[in-house]
Amino acid sequence: MAENEKKRIDPRVLRTRQMLKEALIELLEEMDVEKITVNRIAERATINRVTFYLHYKDIQDMLEKMADEMAENVNRVMMRTIEQHKSGDRETLLLGLLEHIAANAKFYKVVLGSRRIPVFHERLRSVFVDKIKLGIEEIEEHNPDIQSDVAVWFGSAALIGTISAWLRNDMPYTAPFMARQFALLFKQR
Amino acid sequence: MAENEKKRIDPRVLRTRQMLKEALIELLEEMDVEKITVNRIAERATINRVTFYLHYKDIQDMLEKMADEMAENVNRVMMRTIEQHKSGDRETLLLGLLEHIAANAKFYKVVLGSRRIPVFHERLRSVFVDKIKLGIEEIEEHNPDIQSDVAVWFGSAALIGTISAWLRNDMPYTAPFMARQFALLFKQR
DNA sequence: GACTTAATTTACATAGTGTTGGATAATCAA
DNA sequence: TTGATTATCCAACACTATGTAAATTAAGTC
């Protein structure tokens, strides 16, 4: 059932998109996003340049689609973590997220850790904003002087920014350690 | 003395650069940075396109130079605030910063609030990182379980991100209010 | 094996880049 | 004010990248 939902896509399409994406990630490891052209992506992917346009409007469009996929994945991971542990416990939730990121570190380091690709940060931020909004009441009860939307801005920015820095520095700490750090840093009394 | 330090620059140069910068800010208000070309900037500034290249290598170079100027300004503002109040009090320091940003909201909204111009975020982050490192010992004393570099990542990201969100939402709260919010949010016990 | 759809090839018009050499105009120094 | 200096302008150039079109080849589907 599950694999029929997306009514079977031609394997050639999957292959081409996969190769284009891998090529783009590779290039992003090597150069700034402004230096990347459709030419280069196609060449690296050993795909004809014209074929690129059969799949994406332009590079920006491609980045956005990849960012959407990333957001979906992150959402799914967080959902799954919650189900497995049957608790909205913040630390375990973060641990699930961080372990997913660590498992796909090559990708996330490029799109979040590196400079100059804001689409991914935007998408991830809106995922976090949604998640944080759900657990925000506690803060309001605890400290009524804190404006809830400011707290959401603060929390989501701190999360993304810290994770990005963690990736930029080649993850010097383990995922569980980072989850614990977040728990401590977010703790209000 | 002070004005002689930069050994008098030709007023034509100052004028040209000023017009180019204003044109770029205007364009950034109107469109994404990828859509901006040297052509457009020159046209908007009523400056010949060739003249652009007499001042900047390319658009990226121009953005970097503007980001450097911004970082200098922010640094200066924070220094001045500390001098005036003769105290490293966090809330007043932040208030000085936020008031400076509010006073130049048009500029900051474009370069920080809008999407897709990471250079400015980077530069501002490194300013904050420096500042936060100085006041980090207290946290270490208070809670020895928190890794100091993680705390720096967390703090700087939260600051920039919250300020950006504040600008993106057209500053619905006053600068003093935001300074107070930061003080509350950063408070650890 | 016939049908369908994806990818390739070649080609073209358009737009932007970065640099040149020479003319013009604004600033500076005497 | 004058003459020297230097910034800006103008026209032109080669080059790279973009995005699209039409016809051909190759791969996947039933």
Side-chain angles (χ1 to χ4, degrees):
Chain A
M1 273 290 172
E3 59 266 51
N4 277 357
E5 274 172 19
K6 290 176 183 173
K7 44 180 167 177
R8 260 191 271 130
I9 303 174
D10 192 318
R12 287 172 293 180
V13 172
L14 292 175
R15 187 185 118 92
T16 300
R17 292 200 182 142
Q18 190 56 35
M19 293 186 78
L20 286 172
K21 285 183 217 164
E22 280 169 13
L24 178 52
I25 296 295
E26 268 186 47
L27 291 171
L28 284 170
E29 288 180 318
E30 298 168 19
M31 62 189 75
D32 282 345
V33 72
E34 310 91 36
K35 291 289 165 203
I36 294 176
T37 66
V38 177
N39 262 312
R40 274 197 244 272
I41 298 173
E43 187 181 302
R44 180 66 62 102
T46 57
I47 293 289
N48 194 284
R49 188 174 68 88
V50 174
T51 307
F52 175 93
Y53 292 103
L54 297 177
H55 296 275
Y56 305 107
K57 212 176 132 288
D58 50 27
I59 293 176
Q60 192 54 41
D61 179 54
M62 181 172 178
L63 287 169
E64 273 166 26
K65 292 201 164 116
M66 289 176 74
D68 287 341
E69 289 172 23
M70 176 200 68
E72 277 175 39
N73 288 334
V74 169
N75 239 322
R76 191 178 317 125
V77 167
M78 293 180 96
M79 293 300 201
R80 196 191 308 148
T81 311
I82 292 177
E83 284 172 18
Q84 284 177 348
H85 297 272
K86 291 191 179 176
S87 76
D89 173 48
R90 249 186 300 184
E91 194 170 333
T92 20
L93 185 57
L94 280 170
L95 181 56
L97 172 67
L98 292 169
E99 278 175 341
H100 162 73
I101 291 176
N104 302 86
K106 182 186 163 184
F107 171 81
Y108 283 104
K109 184 177 160 69
V110 169
V111 301
L112 294 181
S114 100
R115 338 179 298 164
R116 301 179 210 290
I117 327 182
V119 211
F120 294 89
H121 286 256
E122 284 173 37
R123 292 292 193 286
L124 198 55
R125 181 164 48 80
S126 62
V127 172
F128 289 164
V129 165
D130 291 346
K131 290 276 176 296
I132 292 178
K133 270 182 184 161
L134 300 175
I136 202 72
E137 308 84 29
E138 344 172 9
I139 292 175
E140 284 178 328
E141 288 169 17
H142 254 301
N143 194 334
D145 291 335
I146 293 180
Q147 192 75 19
S148 71
D149 48 357
V150 176
V152 173
W153 298 342
F154 186 94
S156 54
L159 258 184
I160 301 177
T162 308
I163 291 172
S164 302
W166 180 53
L167 288 163
R168 249 196 313 280
N169 290 277
D170 294 309
M171 304 186 292
Y173 308 113
T174 64
F177 180 84
M178 289 299 292
R180 185 93 202 88
Q181 293 287 304
F182 276 121
L184 292 170
L185 286 162
F186 275 124
K187 186 171 289 167
Q188 301 280 350
R189 294 233 187 86
Chain B
M1 273 290 175
E3 59 268 50
N4 276 357
E5 274 172 18
K6 291 175 183 173
K7 44 181 170 180
R8 261 189 271 130
I9 303 175
D10 193 319
R12 287 171 293 180
V13 172
L14 291 176
R15 178 174 178 273
T16 300
R17 292 197 182 146
Q18 190 57 34
M19 295 184 76
L20 286 173
K21 285 182 219 165
E22 281 169 12
L24 178 52
I25 297 295
E26 270 186 45
L27 291 172
L28 284 170
E29 287 179 318
E30 298 168 18
M31 61 190 74
D32 282 347
V33 72
E34 310 90 39
K35 291 289 166 204
I36 295 176
T37 65
V38 176
N39 263 313
R40 274 198 243 272
I41 297 173
E43 187 181 301
R44 180 67 61 101
T46 58
I47 294 290
N48 193 283
R49 187 173 69 88
V50 175
T51 306
F52 175 94
Y53 292 103
L54 296 175
H55 296 276
Y56 305 107
K57 209 175 134 289
D58 50 28
I59 293 177
Q60 192 54 41
D61 179 53
M62 181 172 179
L63 287 169
E64 273 167 26
K65 292 203 164 114
M66 290 175 74
D68 287 340
E69 289 172 24
M70 177 200 68
E72 276 175 40
N73 288 333
V74 169
N75 238 320
R76 192 178 316 123
V77 167
M78 295 181 95
M79 292 299 201
R80 197 193 305 146
T81 312
I82 292 178
E83 284 171 19
Q84 285 177 349
H85 297 270
K86 292 192 178 177
S87 75
D89 173 47
R90 249 186 302 186
E91 193 170 333
T92 20
L93 186 57
L94 280 170
L95 181 57
L97 172 67
L98 292 168
E99 278 176 340
H100 162 73
I101 291 175
N104 301 88
K106 182 186 162 184
F107 171 80
Y108 284 104
K109 184 177 160 67
V110 169
V111 301
L112 294 182
S114 103
R115 337 179 300 163
R116 298 179 214 290
I117 328 182
V119 209
F120 294 89
H121 286 255
E122 283 173 37
R123 292 291 194 287
L124 199 55
R125 180 163 48 81
S126 62
V127 173
F128 289 165
V129 165
D130 291 347
K131 290 278 178 293
I132 291 178
K133 271 183 185 163
L134 299 176
I136 202 71
E137 307 86 28
E138 346 172 8
I139 292 176
E140 286 179 326
E141 287 168 19
H142 254 302
N143 195 334
D145 290 335
I146 293 179
Q147 193 75 16
S148 70
D149 48 357
V150 177
V152 173
W153 298 343
F154 186 94
S156 54
L159 258 183
I160 301 177
T162 308
I163 291 173
S164 302
W166 179 54
L167 287 163
R168 248 197 314 278
N169 291 279
D170 294 309
M171 304 186 294
Y173 309 112
T174 64
F177 180 84
M178 288 299 292
R180 184 94 201 88
Q181 293 287 304
F182 276 122
L184 292 170
L185 285 162
F186 275 124
K187 187 173 290 167
Q188 301 278 351
R189 294 233 185 88

